[in-house]
Amino acid sequence: MALVDYGGSSSSASEDEESAENTQAPTLSILKRPALPTAAALLGPKKQKPDEFEDDVIDDPSLHGGRIRSFKHERGNWATYVYVPADACSDQLEEFQAEAISHLALELELQANDSLHLSLSRTVVLQYHQIDEFSRSLQQALNSSTGFAASLQGLRIYTNEERTRTFIAAPLDAAFVEKMTAILQPIDQVMLDYRLQQFYVPASFHVSLLWCVGDQEKLLNSKLKELQELLEDQDTLSLAVNEVHLKCGNKDFTYLLK
C-alpha cells in the first residue's frame, strides 16, 4: 500500500508548474516502501522433519493385537529398552510358540512375541536429542562387562504392571543370575543418571515367548504343566550373552562384551 496519495495535476496548472513539481517533489515510485522480505527469504526454506516424526502416531489397540500403551505416545518420545537377543535358541523357541498357540487355541488367543530377547531394563522414554548421549553413556558403562554362555530353564507366567497383558516366558537358569546381575548393575546406574526407572527389584531375567490381552495369570498357571511338557521336547535352550542391545524406536545399538 502506498504511504502517500498523489492526485493528478490540476487542469489550470501550467506546464512550467508541472515541470517544477516533477523536479522538486518525489515521485510515487520513490516514496513507496520496499516490500518486506518473506519469512522464507530470512530463514531459508522450511526444514524437512526427520522421517521418525513425519506423522503423528494414533494409539489404536486394534492395530497391534489389542495391546495398550503403558505411556501416552507423544511426538519426540522414543520408547527405549536394553536387552540381550535370544538368537542362539530362537528356532527352538519359535517351534514352542507354534505348539503352544495350537494347544490353547480353544481356550485362549495367544500371540507370539516377534522379538525374542531377555530384557535388562524397563521400557522408558527418551527424547530424540538424548539418544546419542545415552548410547555413549551405556557403551562406557558396559566397557568392563564380561560375556558368558547361559541357558533358559522352564516356564513362568507374568503380567505387566497394569495387568492388561499376560505373558508366558522362559526364565534364565538360576545358575547364571549372578553373572547377569553383574551386567545389569551398570545399566541401572545409567538409568539412574538420566533419572529413568531402574529394573525391577528383585530382578527376574526371562525371555517372553507368548502373550494375550488381559489378566489371564490364573488360567495360564493352570496350564503351565501342559506347556512345560511341550517345551521339554526341545533341547537345552542356550543363551549367548556376548552382546547387549539398546532399542530406541526404530534405532538399535549394539555393545559387544569382553
Side-chain angles (χ1 to χ4, degrees), residues 1-4 27-37:
M1 182 178 69
L3 299 179
V4 179
T27 64
L28 174 60
S29 62
I30 295 174
L31 282 181
K32 275 188 177 180
R33 174 177 290 177
L36 295 175

mmCIF file of all heavy atoms in Angstrom, residues 1-4 27-37:
data_model
loop_
_atom_site.group_PDB
_atom_site.id
_atom_site.type_symbol
_atom_site.label_atom_id
_atom_site.label_comp_id
_atom_site.label_asym_id
_atom_site.label_seq_id
_atom_site.Cartn_x
_atom_site.Cartn_y
_atom_site.Cartn_z
ATOM 1 N N MET A 1 0.859 -1.184 0.000
ATOM 2 C CA MET A 1 0.000 0.000 0.000
ATOM 3 C C MET A 1 0.889 1.225 0.000
ATOM 4 O O MET A 1 1.864 1.309 0.758
ATOM 5 C CB MET A 1 -0.895 0.003 1.241
ATOM 6 C CG MET A 1 -1.845 1.184 1.289
ATOM 7 S SD MET A 1 -2.910 1.106 2.738
ATOM 8 C CE MET A 1 -1.715 1.395 4.039
ATOM 9 N N ALA A 2 0.566 2.236 -0.827
ATOM 10 C CA ALA A 2 1.358 3.455 -0.893
ATOM 11 C C ALA A 2 1.226 4.233 0.393
ATOM 12 O O ALA A 2 0.162 4.302 0.989
ATOM 13 C CB ALA A 2 0.901 4.307 -2.074
ATOM 14 N N LEU A 3 2.327 4.920 0.828
ATOM 15 C CA LEU A 3 2.304 5.703 2.055
ATOM 16 C C LEU A 3 1.798 7.111 1.811
ATOM 17 O O LEU A 3 1.316 7.762 2.716
ATOM 18 C CB LEU A 3 3.714 5.761 2.644
ATOM 19 C CG LEU A 3 4.315 4.412 3.025
ATOM 20 C CD1 LEU A 3 5.710 4.595 3.561
ATOM 21 C CD2 LEU A 3 3.440 3.708 4.040
ATOM 22 N N VAL A 4 1.926 7.651 0.562
ATOM 23 C CA VAL A 4 1.455 8.997 0.216
ATOM 24 C C VAL A 4 0.556 8.889 -0.998
ATOM 25 O O VAL A 4 0.901 8.190 -1.946
ATOM 26 C CB VAL A 4 2.632 9.945 -0.105
ATOM 27 C CG1 VAL A 4 2.108 11.319 -0.478
ATOM 28 C CG2 VAL A 4 3.574 10.010 1.076
ATOM 29 N N THR A 27 8.683 11.272 -6.659
ATOM 30 C CA THR A 27 7.639 10.547 -7.388
ATOM 31 C C THR A 27 7.074 9.442 -6.533
ATOM 32 O O THR A 27 7.650 9.058 -5.500
ATOM 33 C CB THR A 27 8.215 9.931 -8.668
ATOM 34 O OG1 THR A 27 9.178 8.975 -8.294
ATOM 35 C CG2 THR A 27 8.841 10.983 -9.570
ATOM 36 N N LEU A 28 5.972 8.857 -6.958
ATOM 37 C CA LEU A 28 5.306 7.772 -6.236
ATOM 38 C C LEU A 28 6.221 6.565 -6.090
ATOM 39 O O LEU A 28 6.301 5.936 -5.040
ATOM 40 C CB LEU A 28 4.032 7.370 -6.989
ATOM 41 C CG LEU A 28 3.264 6.161 -6.458
ATOM 42 C CD1 LEU A 28 2.812 6.411 -5.030
ATOM 43 C CD2 LEU A 28 2.087 5.849 -7.359
ATOM 44 N N SER A 29 6.992 6.231 -7.151
ATOM 45 C CA SER A 29 7.827 5.034 -7.100
ATOM 46 C C SER A 29 8.941 5.176 -6.087
ATOM 47 O O SER A 29 9.410 4.196 -5.517
ATOM 48 C CB SER A 29 8.399 4.746 -8.492
ATOM 49 O OG SER A 29 9.215 5.826 -8.900
ATOM 50 N N ILE A 30 9.396 6.423 -5.825
ATOM 51 C CA ILE A 30 10.473 6.635 -4.851
ATOM 52 C C ILE A 30 9.940 6.540 -3.434
ATOM 53 O O ILE A 30 10.591 6.016 -2.534
ATOM 54 C CB ILE A 30 11.147 7.993 -5.090
ATOM 55 C CG1 ILE A 30 11.847 7.996 -6.444
ATOM 56 C CG2 ILE A 30 12.134 8.326 -3.979
ATOM 57 C CD1 ILE A 30 12.433 9.340 -6.832
ATOM 58 N N LEU A 31 8.732 7.046 -3.195
ATOM 59 C CA LEU A 31 8.183 7.079 -1.834
ATOM 60 C C LEU A 31 7.627 5.734 -1.386
ATOM 61 O O LEU A 31 7.395 5.524 -0.213
ATOM 62 C CB LEU A 31 7.078 8.128 -1.743
ATOM 63 C CG LEU A 31 7.577 9.582 -1.626
ATOM 64 C CD1 LEU A 31 6.402 10.512 -1.518
ATOM 65 C CD2 LEU A 31 8.495 9.742 -0.432
ATOM 66 N N LYS A 32 7.374 4.846 -2.294
ATOM 67 C CA LYS A 32 6.852 3.546 -1.886
ATOM 68 C C LYS A 32 7.865 2.811 -1.023
ATOM 69 O O LYS A 32 9.055 2.782 -1.342
ATOM 70 C CB LYS A 32 6.548 2.684 -3.120
ATOM 71 C CG LYS A 32 5.183 2.939 -3.722
ATOM 72 C CD LYS A 32 4.901 1.908 -4.789
ATOM 73 C CE LYS A 32 3.512 2.099 -5.345
ATOM 74 N NZ LYS A 32 3.222 1.094 -6.385
ATOM 75 N N ARG A 33 7.405 2.254 0.123
ATOM 76 C CA ARG A 33 8.295 1.445 0.963
ATOM 77 C C ARG A 33 8.570 0.121 0.263
ATOM 78 O O ARG A 33 7.645 -0.520 -0.217
ATOM 79 C CB ARG A 33 7.643 1.183 2.318
ATOM 80 C CG ARG A 33 8.445 0.238 3.202
ATOM 81 C CD ARG A 33 7.808 0.067 4.550
ATOM 82 N NE ARG A 33 7.911 1.296 5.340
ATOM 83 C CZ ARG A 33 7.379 1.439 6.569
ATOM 84 N NH1 ARG A 33 6.729 0.445 7.110
ATOM 85 N NH2 ARG A 33 7.514 2.560 7.224
ATOM 86 N N PRO A 34 9.851 -0.293 0.242
ATOM 87 C CA PRO A 34 10.144 -1.587 -0.401
ATOM 88 C C PRO A 34 9.377 -2.716 0.277
ATOM 89 O O PRO A 34 9.130 -2.681 1.486
ATOM 90 C CB PRO A 34 11.657 -1.740 -0.175
ATOM 91 C CG PRO A 34 12.142 -0.349 0.092
ATOM 92 C CD PRO A 34 11.020 0.370 0.768
ATOM 93 N N ALA A 35 8.999 -3.704 -0.489
ATOM 94 C CA ALA A 35 8.259 -4.843 0.067
ATOM 95 C C ALA A 35 9.106 -5.545 1.116
ATOM 96 O O ALA A 35 10.321 -5.722 0.956
ATOM 97 C CB ALA A 35 7.889 -5.811 -1.051
ATOM 98 N N LEU A 36 8.474 -5.908 2.250
ATOM 99 C CA LEU A 36 9.185 -6.615 3.310
ATOM 100 C C LEU A 36 9.583 -8.000 2.829
ATOM 101 O O LEU A 36 8.833 -8.660 2.120
ATOM 102 C CB LEU A 36 8.292 -6.741 4.542
ATOM 103 C CG LEU A 36 7.921 -5.424 5.228
ATOM 104 C CD1 LEU A 36 6.937 -5.695 6.345
ATOM 105 C CD2 LEU A 36 9.161 -4.728 5.769
ATOM 106 N N PRO A 37 10.791 -8.460 3.242
ATOM 107 C CA PRO A 37 11.210 -9.805 2.829
ATOM 108 C C PRO A 37 10.319 -10.872 3.441
ATOM 109 O O PRO A 37 9.809 -10.714 4.548
ATOM 110 C CB PRO A 37 12.647 -9.903 3.368
ATOM 111 C CG PRO A 37 12.703 -8.919 4.491
ATOM 112 C CD PRO A 37 11.772 -7.795 4.095
#
